[in-house]
Amino acid sequence: MPPSGFLTEKRTHAMSSQSTTTVWITGIIGVILLGFGIIWGQVIFERFEVVPDDLNRVVDLEGTYTLVDTSFTDRLLANSTVAGLAASGSGGDLLSDPAISGLLANPALGDLVSNPAILGLLADPSVLAPLADPTVLAALSDPAVLAAVADPTLLPALIAANPAVGALLTDPAVSSLLASGAVSSLLANPDLLTLITDPALGAALANPVVSALLADPDALALVLDPRTQRILANPADLPTVDIPVIIHRVRVADRADGDVLYLTETVTTTNLVDGSDMGLLDPRFGPSETTLVVDRSDKTYVTELMDPASARAGHWGLPFHTDKGTAYPSWISFAGQPLDATYDHTTETNGLQTYAYIVDDVDVSLGGATDPATGLPLVFETVTVAFIEPETGAGVDATVKDTISAQAPDGSKYVRIANDLKYSDASVADLVDEIDGKKNLIVWFGSWLPLGSSIIGAALLLIAIGIFLRIQTRPSEG
């Protein structure tokens, strides 16, 4: 029978061996978990969270485009009288004369020009003289007189009943006025009657420019239009028109080459006035397809790998784990350049917490571009607000107000093209659902999983080290 000391020593040796094995297993598991947490968080998931699918986007933007009303300006240029008036610069002088500008602004002038009988009176001012006599006007307003003029068989009875009226009707000037057939139209339109008897009318008619306008009814109609009057006074003040539109934009990540992604962006813009393609109204808004090259580590454009004709710079989107304190140069299509997007406030978009980033700039130079109509320099301004989910850096909503204007030396601006757009409600709802799911993946698999694994691994490693040190010091304690 072995001595009890031998058995105790053997048991102690077995326990020590078992403890050493436990230490090694615990340590190895700790190292594995710690290494997994670090490698997953710093290497693997960083690649996972920016796979090409995360950059695919389908968005509809709704709102308006503001454009120069070329249908109106083309009509002006097509009219030789107005075009000559604008080219000569006499239009501004014409409108600077209060008498003439007042005459042209009188709405009754259109009635005058559209009535050949009244227009014929202007050829002989002496015929207009009776209209300045209240007695004549009172007589001509009498239905019996008008009836007798229309039916000469009634004249004898009328003259017998009222000799004064008979004498009036035999006046050559009144007779000529009655013969023109314009009396009933004049008496039915007090404004027109006032215009005909306005002393300034003679001076206006003596102006060769006014004469040319009266000889061209379409030119006169154009000049009577307030838009034309603004152009004649200031050639830079071109009229604009608002077109309701919907923009359908699709971006698809086609392939990856290391950290570089190649995306295809297609854009179609529909004119909601008639459902046509906006390119029919303005070629700048026709369907387009562009290849974009993006660095997926920070979502910036790789400019040098893009076609120079469509190259972009700055950010395609904001990076993962968006930083409030960083200004992100973001590509602005209307400006053709990146402008800084800065954090403004935190809000909720359809229940999802988002950061509002704003691009707010004025008088941005467009590289020396000038307005074709006036030669004035073009400047850009924008108030663009993007609502960003900060974990993914993805935009879930946006409002865009861009304007390109011709800027006069005095600082005055004249709109040449503008937009006022926002993501459609349906697009916002779809993006929020999509990004909320990806945010949860990033939080759980990108933060909690590597962090938890690292903490547990570090704890097990420390436990293993502690046990190991106790085993190593136990013999000396005996």
Side-chain angles (χ1 to χ4, degrees):
M1 181 176 183
S4 59
F6 173 77
L7 292 175
T8 300
E9 182 179 348
K10 185 175 182 181
R11 189 179 302 116
T12 300
H13 178 75
M15 291 177 62
S16 176
S17 177
Q18 185 178 4
S19 296
T20 300
T21 301
T22 301
V23 167
W24 278 105
I25 292 174
T26 302
I28 290 172
I29 293 174
V31 170
I32 291 173
L33 291 176
L34 179 60
F36 172 79
I38 295 173
I39 294 173
W40 176 270
Q42 298 299 317
V43 180
I44 298 176
F45 191 76
E46 184 174 333
R47 304 284 295 179
F48 167 76
E49 70 179 1
V50 287
V51 294
D53 283 349
D54 288 338
L55 295 182
N56 292 343
R57 289 288 180 274
V58 178
V59 173
D60 288 329
L61 294 98
E62 301 172 334
T64 59
Y65 273 138
T66 300
L67 309 173
V68 172
D69 189 356
T70 53
S71 62
F72 184 78
T73 55
D74 288 347
R75 183 183 167 200
L76 285 181
L77 293 174
N79 185 288
S80 58
T81 301
V82 178
L85 188 63
S88 67
S90 56
D93 296 336
L94 180 72
L95 296 176
S96 66
D97 184 329
I100 294 179
S101 62
L103 171 71
L104 294 177
N106 191 325
L109 189 59
D111 296 329
L112 183 153
V113 175
S114 64
N115 190 316
I118 298 176
L119 195 60
L121 295 178
L122 302 179
D124 187 358
S126 64
V127 176
L128 298 177
L131 295 177
D133 186 341
T135 303
V136 174
L137 290 177
L140 294 180
S141 299
D142 186 337
V145 174
L146 293 176
V149 171
D151 183 0
T153 62
L154 301 177
L155 281 175
L158 178 65
I159 293 172
N162 193 336
V165 171
L168 177 67
L169 294 178
T170 58
D171 184 300
V174 175
S175 298
S176 298
L177 179 63
L178 294 173
S180 72
V183 172
S184 58
S185 296
L186 287 172
L187 295 176
N189 189 336
D191 290 336
L192 186 55
L193 183 60
T194 301
L195 176 66
I196 289 292
T197 57
D198 187 343
L201 182 63
L205 295 179
N207 187 305
V209 175
V210 175
S211 300
L213 290 174
L214 292 176
D216 184 347
D218 185 55
L220 180 59
L222 285 170
V223 170
L224 290 175
D225 192 303
R227 294 171 293 179
T228 305
Q229 294 185 21
R230 289 198 300 270
I231 293 173
L232 292 175
N234 181 355
D237 193 5
L238 300 180
T240 59
V241 61
D242 293 333
I243 308 294
V245 298
I246 184 166
I247 302 169
H248 184 66
R249 187 181 68 202
V250 179
R251 288 171 177 162
V252 178
D254 299 314
R255 63 187 177 90
D257 183 5
D259 280 336
V260 175
L261 292 178
Y262 291 81
L263 303 96
T264 298
E265 178 186 77
T266 57
V267 177
T268 55
T269 305
T270 301
N271 181 344
L272 295 182
V273 173
D274 56 13
S276 65
D277 188 283
M278 190 67 180
L280 297 176
L281 182 64
D282 190 320
R284 291 175 294 182
F285 304 116
S288 65
E289 181 174 304
T290 308
T291 298
L292 307 177
V293 186
V294 176
D295 186 329
R296 64 179 176 180
S297 65
D298 59 7
K299 298 183 187 174
T300 57
Y301 288 108
V302 185
T303 307
E304 60 271 19
L305 295 181
M306 297 177 67
D307 182 348
S310 58
R312 302 179 184 181
H315 280 265
W316 170 84
L318 300 196
F320 287 82
H321 315 298
T322 306
D323 178 17
K324 292 181 182 179
T326 301
Y328 296 100
S330 301
W331 180 257
I332 305 296
S333 295
F334 257 42
Q337 59 187 286
L339 299 173
D340 283 348
T342 57
Y343 170 83
D344 186 74
H345 64 278
T346 298
T347 185
E348 284 193 353
T349 303
N350 286 16
L352 180 68
Q353 179 178 286
T354 55
Y355 291 171
Y357 274 80
I358 296 183
V359 180
D360 188 355
D361 282 285
V362 297
D363 295 342
V364 177
S365 172
L366 295 179
T370 57
D371 174 34
T374 62
L376 294 173
L378 293 175
V379 294
F380 172 79
E381 62 185 82
T382 185
V383 178
T384 298
V385 184
F387 297 89
I388 307 297
E389 194 293 304
E391 292 296 331
T392 61
V396 296
D397 195 5
T399 60
V400 181
K401 293 183 179 181
D402 297 327
T403 305
I404 295 177
S405 304
Q407 188 172 47
D410 65 359
S412 301
K413 297 178 186 177
Y414 304 94
V415 175
R416 292 299 179 256
I417 182 172
N419 63 31
D420 187 348
L421 304 167
K422 69 176 295 295
Y423 280 17
S424 70
D425 291 342
S427 291
V428 172
D430 289 344
L431 288 173
V432 166
D433 287 344
E434 174 191 349
I435 300 307
D436 192 28
K438 288 179 178 172
K439 180 199 74 171
N440 291 333
L441 284 176
I442 290 175
V443 170
W444 284 103
F445 291 96
S447 297
W448 291 115
L449 177 61
L451 180 61
S453 176
S454 298
I455 291 174
I456 294 172
L460 291 175
L461 186 58
L462 289 174
I463 290 172
I465 293 172
I467 295 174
F468 178 77
L469 292 176
R470 287 184 60 188
I471 292 175
Q472 294 297 311
T473 58
R474 184 174 296 160
S476 64
E477 292 174 358

